[in-house]
Amino acid sequence: MGARDTGRGEKAAAELGARFVQLDVTDDASVRAALATVGRLDVLINNAGILADGDVDGPAALRAFDVNAVGVVRVTEAALPLLRESANPTVVTVSSSMGSFWAVTNPERPESGMPLALYAASKAAATMLTVQYAKLHPQIKFNAVEPGTTATDMTAAYGIGRPVPDSARTVVRLATLAADGPTGTLQDENGILTGEPVADT
C-alpha cells in the first residue's frame, strides 16, 4: 500500500496487514522507487486525490491536475512493465461523477449544484485517461470508479459521506474483474454510469 505520508501510511498498512511503500504521486523519483520495490503487480488502484476547493487560480490548478490526473500517468506508466507480466492485469482509477459532463449538466443529479471547478476538471481528465489507456493497452483492463461520497479526510470539513468500507466495495468489484471483464468505463455501484462513453477496445 502506497501513501505519501510515511507515518500515516505505515499505521494504515499495519491495520490492514499490508506492506507499506512510500509513494508521492507528484514526485517521479518517489513513484519509480515505489514500483521498484513491488516486484509483482496484478492490480493497480490509483486512489490519490485532492478536493482543490479553494481559490481557482493557476497554482491551484497545477496542483489539482498534478495529483488527480498527472499522478495517474506517472504511476500507471511506471507500473506497466509489471502489469504486463500479470495473467489478469487490472487498473482502477478512483475518479468521480463530478468529472462527468453528463452528470454535472443534469439538473436531476446532485453534481449539477456543486461548483468544484478544479476537482471536476481534473477528475474528467482522470476518467479520459482511463478510456485512452484502455485503447492503448487492450491486454490490461482500465476502469474508473465513482465510489460515492465517502467520509474521508477530503470530505471531513463538510461532514458528509458514508463509511469507507461501503464505498470500497465498488472499487474492489472493479479490481477483481475476470479476465473478460469490461474495460474503458466509468462505473459506480450500479454499474456503468449512464450517459458515459465506453472505450471501443
Side-chain angles (χ1 to χ4, degrees), residues 84-200:
R84 291 190 184 103
E85 296 177 3
S86 172
N88 184 22
T90 302
V91 178
V92 179
T93 293
V94 179
S95 189
S96 173
S97 54
M98 280 297 298
S100 161
F101 189 84
W102 167 79
V104 299
T105 58
N106 185 341
E108 296 181 2
R109 298 278 303 195
E111 296 90 341
S112 66
M114 299 173 69
L116 291 168
L118 298 180
Y119 179 77
S122 59
K123 286 299 187 178
T127 299
M128 181 54 71
L129 284 167
T130 299
V131 173
Q132 295 301 321
Y133 268 121
K135 293 173 178 286
L136 288 168
H137 304 283
Q139 73 279 21
I140 302 173
K141 290 185 298 299
F142 287 87
N143 290 289
V145 60
E146 155 57 67
T149 305
T150 310
T152 64
D153 289 350
M154 193 167 71
T155 60
Y158 297 90
I160 58 174
R162 60 186 180 183
V164 171
D166 293 349
S167 295
R169 291 189 183 95
T170 306
V171 180
V172 171
R173 175 174 60 81
L174 289 176
T176 55
L177 289 171
D180 61 350
T183 188
T185 68
L186 170 61
Q187 299 194 35
D188 63 11
E189 60 193 333
N190 298 311
I192 295 174
L193 207 61
T194 304
E196 288 302 306
V198 177
D200 182 17

